[in-house]
Amino acid sequence: MKALRLCRLAALTAAAALPIALAAPASAATAVTFDCQADAPIVGPQKVALNQDADVTAPPTVAPGAAFDVVIDPAPNTVPGEVSGNKVKNINTFALKIPIPANSSYVGADLTGGSGLGSTPPTLSVANGVATLSFPGPIAGGATFELPTVTAHLTAGQSGTIETKLGGTSYSDPGLTFKAVASTIIGDLTAPTACFPNPSPVFTTTTIG
């Protein structure tokens, strides 16, 4: 399991960096850049960047109609204790969208492991062809945490390729949302943050045949 690398959010109230479970072909590391906008009170929208690597296991080929798994195994990470001179109190209310790939159907998923995510365990829900990994947190500033390993069980279609990508195309159609809470000279500020991958790479490709 390789380390996830995240850059700190360089805005007043976008007070955290997140680990994201993303897919990468043949267990190779894949770099992703998220374009994020924090809706910061008083100071207004703040644009920030979030960079990350992750590993995933997926088969290169699968027979038509056969079952196969995609395993997403994120590494531990640490919430920054301070951003731009402001104390990070916590990050909370996470939701990461991963569309069910074309030419496949969703059967189920297992979540294992994970730590430091708060008292409520993460869940994975599926609706309208999109899987959403979510949990309320909070995770305190400076704390170390680890997202759970996600094993997604899929069934291949009859032909074509199965490409895994992250959801999200814009701030109004985000693939990742969360809230960051920072302690500032004017009090605690909460910034709802919306992110999308820009560009949006293909993380796994499985050929049916």
Side-chain angles (χ1 to χ4, degrees):
M1 183 171 65
K2 299 183 180 179
L4 296 172
R5 299 189 311 231
L6 299 177
C7 70
R8 294 185 177 183
L9 297 182
L12 177 64
T13 55
L18 295 179
I20 311 302
L22 302 175
S27 297
T30 298
V32 181
T33 298
F34 286 91
D35 188 345
C36 300
Q37 180 171 278
D39 187 11
I42 302 175
V43 299
Q46 301 292 308
K47 293 184 178 181
V48 295
L50 190 68
N51 299 321
Q52 180 185 322
D53 291 346
D55 290 339
V56 154
T57 300
T61 60
V62 65
F68 69 102
D69 290 345
V70 175
V71 180
I72 306 164
D73 190 6
N77 206 346
T78 301
V79 177
E82 183 178 292
V83 173
S84 301
N86 298 288
K87 180 181 178 181
V88 178
K89 296 197 69 174
N90 67 70
I91 52 178
N92 64 81
T93 318
F94 301 86
L96 173 69
K97 295 181 180 180
I98 306 172
I100 305 303
N103 300 319
S104 74
S105 57
Y106 176 80
V107 177
D110 301 317
L111 301 181
T112 57
S115 63
L117 303 177
S119 60
T120 303
T123 61
L124 189 74
S125 60
V126 177
N128 301 318
V130 178
T132 301
L133 177 67
S134 61
F135 61 95
I139 305 174
T144 297
F145 61 97
E146 184 175 2
L147 290 175
T149 296
V150 180
T151 302
H153 310 299
L154 305 175
T155 300
Q158 294 303 305
S159 62
T161 59
I162 300 168
E163 296 183 340
T164 303
K165 299 181 70 174
L166 189 65
T169 60
S170 66
Y171 303 136
S172 60
D173 177 33
L176 167 67
T177 58
F178 61 94
K179 294 179 181 179
V181 182
S183 179
T184 75
I185 60 174
I186 59 174
D188 291 350
L189 295 179
T190 299
T193 304
C195 308
F196 66 98
N198 186 21
S200 181
V202 174
F203 301 117
T204 65
T205 300
T206 298
T207 301
I208 301 172

